[in-house]
Amino acid sequence: MPARNVKDEPVNPVIVMATEPNVSNPPLSSDKQLKSIKHILQDYRQGSRVEYAQLLHSVCNPNLDPATLLSWIKEFQKCASYLGQEFEPLVKALLQVNWWDRGPKMLKEYRRFVTRLITAHSVYLASVLAMLAKNLVPSDPPVALAHPNPAALIKEHEAVDRSKFTWVHETIGLLLTVAPATPKFLLPVLADCFPWIKRSSYIMNGYVENLLNITAYLPELRVKVLELILHRMTELDVNSPKEDIWEAESTAESPDKPNDAEDMQFKMDGVEEGDTDCLKDAGDEKKDAVQHEMADKLDILMTTMMTYIRDACYKNDEFQLEEARLLHRHLLQVFDKVILPTHASSHVQFLLFYFCSFRQAIIDAFLEYLWKRFTNPNTPAVLRQATASYIASFVSRANFLPVSTVTACLDLLAAWLHSYIDNQEVNNRLRQDVCVHGPFYSLCQAVFYIFIFRHRQLLADNKGLHYLMGLNLERVVTCRLNPLRLCLPSIVNMFATLTRKYQIAYCYTVIERNNRSLHQVAKLHSSDSTSKLAATNLLDSFFPFDPYLLPRSGKFVQSLYRQWEGCKPDEDTSNTREEEEDEFVQYEEWDRDLPLGITPTNAACISPGFRS
């Protein structure tokens, strides 16, 4: 069948007459305006198109007299039932008129018009909602360098935006009473109007606040709205990796200022000594701004979202249990769909971290969700590994977790590891392969990581050592699956140091055997293949709750976050002890000078957690 030629399709002459102004198609003159809108529409149905085209062209005129437009809007209210699909060009033109700055009478009459239009013809509901959603997108404040008071000008602009947003929200609420299908059609247009990540932080944050306000009178849309917001925030997050944030901050520092990693960390936290202006005026955007553009936008959005979570769960300083339960269910749904599958996110997941700090029941529910996702055999292996990383990082970094929760998690993890070893040891063809046993190695690394961060709390009393010995970690590190070979070297080395110190497990024999095996294989290849083989088949994982680098929103999690406390050797060491330390110094000193904040997915394979 031959392709259809677009030029052969019939063209509506009314649209041509309205969109191509010329001498034969002038706007309605003053004498023809006396003829009612209703009669013009009736004449069009009878075949008279000239006056209708002139009316359409006049409505599209941006310089139309406000008084005339107001009178026409009142007439359109009366004949809304006539505006069927044959008058769609006219309706779309009416939805594009500049109604906002025409005075309060225009706002009142225009709202009546769109309400009566939807009551008579629900087919226009999507178009009306699209018009309203576009007006929820803020406009950037004017740049007035010569203005005597630029701050007042910006505040005035924000006040005008807030008034317009209030009018839009009230109009949407009114449409809910006349069109029950409003929520169904509203969500797609909200997604279409979401500003792209290249837009300014003022526009993005203003639109996010409007979306959150919609959930107040449309609670059934909250899950989808949160999904829209967190999806866009995740895009910002993956476009602002921690390495780039560090680099941007380092570049912005003055040459005479020390550029060491420790000073940079304090700068990123916004609490460095001497930065008194930042502490005095935390709301100053210039002082709190992140040098990385995407990270700065993300910081503002994270502050907005954490404020929303706090205000949703606390009313007059009283915790709202039912609202917290509902929000927890919604956040977990969004986490499962948006955040968990995203490997390179660094900050968005801290929304769950902050939310869990409210109550112990929320902590238990979050960990239970992660554990069920991990133990579910139908969960893809990559997501099972991600859940293991979340369990390890959350239990290690959240200082609001009691020791009882830590031990309960270690009991679950260790029991699963021993059960897995029991099932695999009988296999004569057992291979040490991440692709085959990825979840097992991820959970081994999770146990190692939790022990490294929590060993002081676990060993605070005499029962702690007995408890750790009962986990039988020695069997895990010496099993045929050999997790010490495939887990991240930084974690393996620190775990080996601590377990040797407390005589819980002896890992260095296994580490030395793994190194000899690696060198033997490397001799069969090129001279530079050792480093390549070392990186081959290593566990590809990340630490979702590594140090938080955004200064504004970081104030919400700063007091909730556990920093790495370090590992100090015993003071009373004998000569034999010193010789033993020298023997294994190669395993403990290789990463002392590595920079902070590097995600362990690069060639260094380090965790920034041991440096902060």
Side-chain angles (χ1 to χ4, degrees), residues 363-568:
I363 298 173
D364 298 337
F366 181 56
L367 290 173
E368 182 182 4
Y369 155 80
L370 292 173
W371 183 244
K372 287 182 178 179
R373 287 287 281 163
F374 178 84
T375 55
N376 184 0
N378 296 323
T379 303
V382 64
L383 293 184
R384 296 179 70 186
Q385 293 177 226
T387 55
S389 298
Y390 270 96
I391 292 174
S393 195
F394 180 75
V395 175
S396 301
R397 291 294 194 174
N399 64 8
F400 48 85
L401 261 68
V403 178
S404 59
T405 302
V406 178
T407 56
C409 289
L410 286 176
D411 289 338
L412 281 176
L413 271 57
W416 190 93
L417 291 176
H418 288 300
S419 176
Y420 192 89
I421 293 172
D422 292 337
N423 294 331
Q424 296 297 325
E425 287 287 345
V426 297
N427 186 0
N428 295 328
R429 297 182 178 181
L430 186 63
R431 293 189 306 163
Q432 300 171 9
D433 192 346
V434 170
C435 297
V436 179
H437 307 288
F440 169 79
Y441 292 117
S442 296
L443 208 63
C444 286
Q445 183 165 280
V447 173
F448 301 160
Y449 195 78
I450 294 173
F451 173 78
I452 291 170
F453 269 88
R454 292 286 188 167
H455 71 278
R456 294 182 184 275
Q457 292 75 37
L458 294 172
L459 296 168
D461 52 31
N462 296 330
K463 296 181 181 179
L465 183 60
H466 179 73
Y467 166 76
L468 290 174
M469 296 295 293
L471 295 179
N472 197 8
L473 298 180
E474 179 78 16
R475 184 190 182 215
V476 175
V477 301
T478 59
C479 70
R480 291 170 57 197
L481 288 170
N482 196 0
L484 296 183
R485 187 177 76 86
L486 299 177
C487 292
L488 296 183
S490 59
I491 295 179
V492 170
N493 295 330
M494 189 62 68
F495 177 76
T497 301
L498 293 173
T499 53
R500 182 187 61 196
K501 175 181 178 180
Y502 297 104
Q503 299 183 1
I504 296 173
Y506 299 94
C507 306
Y508 284 113
T509 303
V510 180
I511 294 175
E512 183 64 24
R513 184 174 68 245
N514 292 337
N515 288 340
R516 287 198 300 266
S517 175
L518 177 64
H519 288 302
Q520 290 175 0
V521 175
K523 291 180 180 179
L524 302 176
H525 298 79
S526 61
S527 58
D528 61 341
S529 60
T530 304
S531 59
K532 295 181 181 179
L533 288 172
T536 302
N537 204 27
L538 279 177
L539 186 63
D540 183 18
S541 61
F542 77 114
F543 303 90
F545 297 114
D546 265 354
Y548 197 88
L549 303 183
L550 306 180
R552 300 183 189 89
S553 52
K555 297 178 178 66
F556 287 87
V557 300
Q558 184 178 8
S559 62
L560 310 172
Y561 192 75
R562 175 180 297 277
Q563 303 289 350
W564 169 236
E565 299 174 351
C567 176
K568 297 181 180 179

Side-chain angles (χ1 to χ4, degrees), residues 36-52:
S36 67
I37 301 295
K38 180 178 179 180
H39 290 158
I40 294 177
L41 299 180
Q42 290 176 341
D43 291 344
Y44 174 76
R45 286 182 172 178
Q46 295 176 2
S48 177
R49 298 175 174 176
V50 177
E51 291 182 341
Y52 171 74

Side-chain angles (χ1 to χ4, degrees), residues 323-335:
E323 178 61 26
R325 287 177 177 174
L326 183 62
L327 181 59
H328 176 261
R329 185 167 69 249
H330 293 167
L331 286 176
L332 278 187
Q333 293 179 29
V334 180
F335 175 84

Side-chain angles (χ1 to χ4, degrees), residues 192-413:
D192 293 339
C193 295
F194 207 118
W196 185 235
I197 58 176
K198 293 294 184 180
R199 303 293 295 274
S200 69
S201 58
Y202 176 80
I203 291 178
M204 295 194 66
N205 187 62
Y207 191 75
V208 167
E209 289 178 347
N210 283 325
L211 292 183
L212 296 176
N213 289 335
I214 288 177
T215 62
Y217 54 87
L218 280 174
E220 63 269 27
L221 291 184
R222 184 161 73 170
V223 175
K224 293 298 182 181
V225 167
L226 291 176
E227 185 179 323
L228 284 177
I229 296 173
L230 293 187
H231 178 74
R232 190 52 50 89
M233 292 175 64
T234 303
E235 291 177 345
L236 288 170
D237 202 0
V238 298
N239 280 280
S240 54
K242 292 183 176 179
E243 299 93 327
D244 293 352
I245 298 177
W246 285 112
E247 183 178 355
E249 293 297 320
S250 177
T251 304
E253 285 185 342
S254 58
D256 56 341
K257 205 171 183 181
N259 189 18
D260 59 296
E262 184 177 0
D263 287 343
M264 194 185 303
Q265 173 71 43
F266 286 136
K267 177 176 177 58
M268 291 302 299
D269 291 339
V271 294
E272 65 178 0
E273 295 182 4
D275 195 4
T276 55
D277 291 338
C278 181
L279 295 176
K280 291 179 181 179
D281 189 7
D284 192 333
E285 294 296 328
K286 293 183 179 180
K287 295 184 178 67
D288 274 344
V290 184
Q291 297 301 322
H292 192 280
E293 179 185 0
M294 295 295 181
D296 188 63
K297 296 176 184 178
L298 179 63
D299 192 13
I300 296 174
L301 295 183
M302 288 292 292
T303 302
T304 299
M305 288 303 300
M306 288 184 178
T307 303
Y308 171 78
I309 291 173
R310 180 195 61 196
D311 294 344
C313 296
Y314 285 93
K315 305 293 184 183
N316 298 324
D317 295 332
E318 292 184 3
F319 185 72
Q320 306 296 314
L321 181 59
E322 293 302 323
E323 178 61 26
R325 287 177 177 174
L326 183 62
L327 181 59
H328 176 261
R329 185 167 69 249
H330 293 167
L331 286 176
L332 278 187
Q333 293 179 29
V334 180
F335 175 84
D336 186 81
K337 189 173 182 179
V338 178
I339 302 178
L340 182 62
T342 305
H343 180 73
S345 63
S346 302
H347 296 95
V348 176
Q349 55 265 23
F350 274 86
L351 294 175
L352 271 298
F353 186 93
Y354 174 66
F355 179 62
C356 287
S357 67
F358 292 165
R359 285 293 186 276
Q360 178 65 34
I362 303 177
I363 298 173
D364 298 337
F366 181 56
L367 290 173
E368 182 182 4
Y369 155 80
L370 292 173
W371 183 244
K372 287 182 178 179
R373 287 287 281 163
F374 178 84
T375 55
N376 184 0
N378 296 323
T379 303
V382 64
L383 293 184
R384 296 179 70 186
Q385 293 177 226
T387 55
S389 298
Y390 270 96
I391 292 174
S393 195
F394 180 75
V395 175
S396 301
R397 291 294 194 174
N399 64 8
F400 48 85
L401 261 68
V403 178
S404 59
T405 302
V406 178
T407 56
C409 289
L410 286 176
D411 289 338
L412 281 176
L413 271 57

